[in-house]
Amino acid sequence: MDSHGTARSRRQLDNLFFIDAIFSVVFGVSSLLAPHGFMTRLGGGEYNRSAHETLRLYGCLRISLGYILLRLRSVDDGMFRKSVCESLFLCYFLQMLAILRTEFTSDSFAFINWIAITVLAVLGGCYGSFRFGKGGDWIKVYELPVNSSKASR
């Protein structure tokens, strides 16, 4: 992989972090502010306080992850960025498996679960293809160029 390809890969990773961060913050804030009526509809007409609080807590985690990903874009430690790619791939893959298991062991079909499965598969696939695809094991792919402007991030 030449230096132009490496720079392009770094930009692609930064773009992936940015898209994931925005998705995380939007989903997190939406989850945190989800009204009781929405949770009642989501629960099939019955309000479940534990499910609502779990969704709010997950929303807090997503907001935090979004903030971390936005800040990570200016980090130039290649090994750390590589580890984050691996971790996010594993995180999204395991979440997808958990929801798939729920969907296949449940008696009812939940459209929202399939939306979540799709989103998690796409995000996990992006991190996985970046990390395990061509050049994904090269540290220089994850490091920022020496002359990059961290202030612009």
Side-chain angles (χ1 to χ4, degrees):
M1 183 178 282
D2 62 357
S3 63
H4 178 67
T6 302
R8 186 177 62 244
S9 293
R10 283 191 293 263
R11 281 192 308 276
Q12 289 173 344
L13 180 59
D14 280 345
N15 290 339
L16 179 57
F17 285 156
F18 182 75
I19 291 167
D20 193 2
I22 296 303
F23 168 77
S24 293
V25 170
V26 168
F27 180 81
V29 169
S30 300
S31 298
L32 194 58
L33 301 176
H36 293 283
F38 175 74
M39 292 303 296
T40 301
R41 279 193 309 272
L42 199 60
E46 188 174 312
Y47 177 73
N48 184 330
R49 181 179 175 159
S50 295
H52 197 179
E53 291 194 20
T54 301
L55 181 65
R56 286 179 175 160
L57 291 171
Y58 186 67
C60 292
L61 286 173
R62 295 305 305 197
I63 292 168
S64 299
L65 176 64
Y67 177 76
I68 290 168
L69 290 173
L70 283 175
R71 300 291 297 174
L72 180 62
R73 295 174 68 230
S74 64
V75 172
D76 61 355
D77 182 344
M79 186 59 88
F80 182 71
R81 289 166 59 99
K82 179 179 174 181
S83 296
V84 169
C85 279
E86 292 171 355
S87 299
L88 288 172
F89 165 72
L90 184 63
C91 176
Y92 289 132
F93 181 72
L94 292 175
Q95 287 180 72
M96 182 196 66
L97 287 180
I99 297 172
L100 268 173
R101 182 186 183 280
T102 300
E103 193 59 28
F104 287 131
T105 58
S106 175
D107 294 336
S108 62
F109 173 83
F111 185 70
I112 196 158
N113 283 351
W114 288 102
I115 292 172
I117 289 165
T118 302
V119 168
L120 293 168
V122 167
L123 284 170
C126 287
Y127 283 110
S129 67
F130 191 90
R131 170 56 188 95
F132 301 108
K134 182 179 178 184
D137 56 343
W138 297 350
I139 292 299
K140 65 182 178 179
V141 168
Y142 301 95
E143 292 176 343
L144 297 175
V146 176
N147 61 0
S148 71
S149 172
K150 290 184 183 181
S152 69
R153 295 183 187 261

